[in-house]
Amino acid sequence: METTTAVTQLSAIAQEARLEIFRLLVQAGAEGLPAGSIGEQLKIPASTLSFHLKELTHAGLTSSRQVSRFIYYTANYEAMNTLLAYLTQNCCAGQAVCCPDLNCHPETENNP
Amino acid sequence: METTTAVTQLSAIAQEARLEIFRLLVQAGAEGLPAGSIGEQLKIPASTLSFHLKELTHAGLTSSRQVSRFIYYTANYEAMNTLLAYLTQNCCAGQAVCCPDLNCHPETENNP
DNA sequence: GCATTATTTCCATATTTATGGAAATATAGA
DNA sequence: TCTATATTTCCATAAATATGGAAATAATGC
């Protein structure tokens, strides 16, 4: 992965509103959410939201598809995976303290 | 981890020069590097470097200590670990495609 | 074709961030 | 104390980013 790509993607999520948008889309799963629904839930005006969605999509972290009058946005898991792998390899570089318990599957946590 | 903290730390590394600085410090290990050495290797003017180092340190991603006339900067592995864990948990949320092969210890890769 | 709804683009504005020279500060050695 | 070295702070400037209303575009159903 190019450093430039990493910087672009990090910039995309290095912003309160966009990080929240991305988290919401991750929760939404493969079906994603229409722009309007995102704006409603996060209380973001349409034009501002559109700007942020463009940033995320430009960075390759989200995708969109049209469904009738709605445009559904989805999180691009592969891209996030690649970014995390880049950070782990380049910014932890085998330092054990940096990698041990990433706790990938928290949904299994509260099952006694 | 607070979302605000994540945004601050992501912003810190979402910049070409700072990401390179951080990577260099990760490679440098626990001893770290004096500011001048970083600037020399990355060809960054002193005042600009100082600005970026302040950003990284303010975000908690680096620390500094004075050694005679030099100020040594070190990467804060724990902080990066926490940030990666946050991203994994909040921005992958159990999506298997997002977590499988983070390849934490690449230095063991080429040992057949 | 017209009205309705969803989203984007346009635009002005405000704010933040990045850059680097020059001066200031700090440490150490002669 | 004087000088050299390391780093930071100050400052002006440039560039990028964020915000949201208003208008434009696109899709649907009547």
Side-chain angles (χ1 to χ4, degrees):
Chain A
M1 178 187 225
E2 295 277 344
T3 300
T4 313
T5 308
V7 169
T8 301
Q9 297 187 336
L10 288 169
S11 295
I13 52 171
Q15 209 275 355
E16 189 92 32
R18 287 197 295 267
L19 185 55
E20 283 179 5
I21 292 168
F22 189 80
R23 290 176 64 185
L24 191 60
L25 290 177
V26 165
Q27 287 167 33
E31 194 186 358
L33 289 173
S37 173
I38 300 170
E40 193 179 12
Q41 291 184 59
L42 301 180
K43 306 249 202 294
I44 301 175
S47 60
T48 302
L49 178 65
S50 194
F51 167 76
H52 288 314
L53 287 171
K54 194 164 67 177
E55 291 287 302
L56 285 167
T57 300
H58 176 250
L61 289 171
T62 56
S63 305
S64 61
R65 68 182 197 287
Q66 182 131 16
V67 177
S68 117
R69 261 185 298 200
F70 302 86
I71 295 180
Y72 276 71
Y73 282 86
T74 50
N76 189 340
Y77 298 113
E78 290 78 8
M80 180 52 92
N81 182 12
T82 304
L83 179 59
L84 286 174
Y86 174 91
L87 289 177
T88 305
Q89 288 164 37
N90 290 274
C91 297
C92 290
Q95 303 292 332
V97 70
C98 205
C99 296
D101 53 353
L102 285 183
N103 190 18
C104 274
H105 303 287
E107 80 279 13
T108 64
E109 282 282 296
N110 298 322
N111 304 346
Chain B
M1 178 188 226
E2 295 278 344
T3 299
T4 313
T5 307
V7 169
T8 301
Q9 296 187 339
L10 288 169
S11 295
I13 52 173
Q15 210 274 356
E16 189 92 31
R18 287 196 296 266
L19 185 56
E20 284 179 3
I21 292 168
F22 189 79
R23 290 176 64 185
L24 190 61
L25 290 178
V26 166
Q27 287 168 33
E31 194 186 357
L33 289 172
S37 173
I38 300 170
E40 191 179 14
Q41 292 185 60
L42 302 181
K43 306 251 202 291
I44 301 173
S47 61
T48 302
L49 177 65
S50 194
F51 167 76
H52 288 313
L53 287 171
K54 193 164 67 177
E55 292 287 303
L56 286 168
T57 299
H58 176 250
L61 289 171
T62 56
S63 305
S64 62
R65 68 183 198 285
Q66 181 131 17
V67 177
S68 117
R69 262 185 297 198
F70 302 86
I71 295 182
Y72 276 72
Y73 282 85
T74 50
N76 188 340
Y77 299 111
E78 289 79 6
M80 181 53 91
N81 182 13
T82 304
L83 178 59
L84 287 174
Y86 174 91
L87 290 177
T88 304
Q89 288 164 38
N90 289 274
C91 296
C92 290
Q95 303 292 333
V97 70
C98 204
C99 295
D101 53 352
L102 286 181
N103 190 17
C104 274
H105 303 285
E107 79 280 12
T108 64
E109 282 283 296
N110 297 322
N111 303 346

